[in-house]
Amino acid sequence: AQSVTQPDIHITVSEGASLELRCNYSYGATPYLFWYVQSPGQGLQLLLKYFSGDTLVQGIKGFEAEFKRSQSSFNLRKPSVHWSDAAEYFCAVVPSNDYKLSFGAGTTVTVRA
Amino acid sequence: GAVVSQHPSRVICKSGTSVKIECRSLDFQATTMFWYRQFPKKSLMLMATSNEGSKATYEQGVEKDKFLINHASLTLSTLTVTSAHPEDSSFYICSATRQGGWSYTFGSGTRLTVV
């Protein structure tokens, strides 16, 4: 069955430290991959997306993600987090022959001073 | 950039009444719109997909008679929660795409509370 998994429910990181959020998918063919961020009570903002090409994708707010076909992963990283990065992060995928976006369970990021 | 406006942002209604939520694409034509439901601390669950001028396609387990979706124009889709009950209380989010694209723009969501 097709699925997208975010293994970490909650991550706490110190301000200025690096952050990595994991995302794994299970699809027959490589889907299109997205990372979104959601602040409390708000909609979703696109951080970055991967369709093809360079496997290291740069996004907004200093985020990047690396697509690894061999591991069926699309992990999100930020070298140095800011207190404003505290939010819910969702990995999402859509098969290349469809338009329905499916979301992982999300990872809550807490930033401590 | 693409903007999707969702209204209202928050609504409280009495049990048994109906509530309409609007989703508008402000600066592009949204051939496809999606409606999601999000429970507290949970992920987004796709409820239905609507294409302009067509009937919505509902995901398995979503009651189409309770959650009426209309996509009458290329810029407006509405979700009506009919005969709302407390268990319908949730955060509802819409998303819109252009024709042939995988660029999704999300509304800011609607917090529905049924009392």
Side-chain angles (χ1 to χ4, degrees):
Chain A
Q2 298 178 334
S3 66
V4 54
T5 303
Q6 292 180 247
D8 306 303
I9 297 174
H10 192 180
I11 287 180
T12 299
V13 61
S14 297
E15 191 169 14
S18 63
L19 173 69
E20 181 168 15
L21 304 181
R22 296 183 290 166
C23 174
N24 295 94
Y25 63 89
S26 176
Y27 279 74
T30 299
Y32 297 152
L33 301 156
F34 304 78
W35 274 100
Y36 288 90
V37 61
Q38 183 183 35
S39 297
Q42 298 296 314
L44 276 70
Q45 181 181 25
L46 178 67
L47 290 174
L48 46 78
K49 59 187 176 185
Y50 175 78
F51 287 179
S52 65
D54 192 344
T55 56
L56 186 61
V57 182
Q58 300 299 318
I60 63 171
K61 302 185 178 186
F63 284 93
E64 66 178 25
E66 185 172 13
F67 168 65
K68 292 186 177 180
R69 185 186 304 275
S70 61
Q71 298 178 19
S72 297
S73 69
F74 189 55
N75 294 348
L76 181 72
R77 299 192 293 252
K78 184 168 184 177
S80 177
V81 299
H82 186 262
W83 63 267
S84 60
D85 293 323
E88 189 79 18
Y89 290 80
F90 291 98
C91 179
V93 305
V94 60
S96 58
N97 60 352
D98 197 358
Y99 292 99
K100 294 182 182 179
L101 201 56
S102 297
F103 288 85
T107 298
T108 302
V109 172
T110 298
V111 180
R112 60 182 174 219
Chain B
V3 178
V4 170
S5 176
Q6 186 173 343
H7 290 282
S9 59
R10 189 180 297 267
V11 59
I12 301 173
C13 71
K14 291 185 177 180
S15 187
T17 62
S18 295
V19 174
K20 180 183 286 188
I21 302 170
E22 290 190 349
C23 181
R24 292 181 184 272
S25 57
L26 299 185
D27 49 4
F28 67 100
Q29 293 185 331
T31 51
T32 303
M33 286 189 173
F34 304 88
W35 287 94
Y36 294 86
R37 182 172 180 176
Q38 185 179 30
F39 293 98
K41 304 293 185 183
K42 295 292 185 182
S43 186
L44 284 78
M45 180 192 78
L46 180 64
M47 299 174 65
T49 303
S50 72
N51 292 293
E52 184 264 337
S54 303
K55 287 185 177 181
T57 303
Y58 290 81
E59 296 299 303
Q60 191 172 6
V62 177
E63 299 177 61
K64 61 180 181 181
D65 294 330
K66 165 166 277 295
F67 300 100
L68 300 179
I69 292 171
N70 183 277
H71 192 164
S73 77
L74 284 171
T75 60
L76 175 64
S77 177
T78 60
L79 166 67
T80 301
V81 182
T82 63
S83 186
H85 291 283
E87 57 265 30
D88 299 324
S89 298
S90 193
F91 193 61
Y92 294 88
I93 304 176
C94 70
S95 172
T97 64
R98 293 181 178 84
Q99 184 174 8
W102 286 272
S103 179
Y104 303 87
T105 304
F106 286 83
S108 55
T110 297
R111 171 73 59 196
L112 171 63
T113 302
V114 184
V115 297

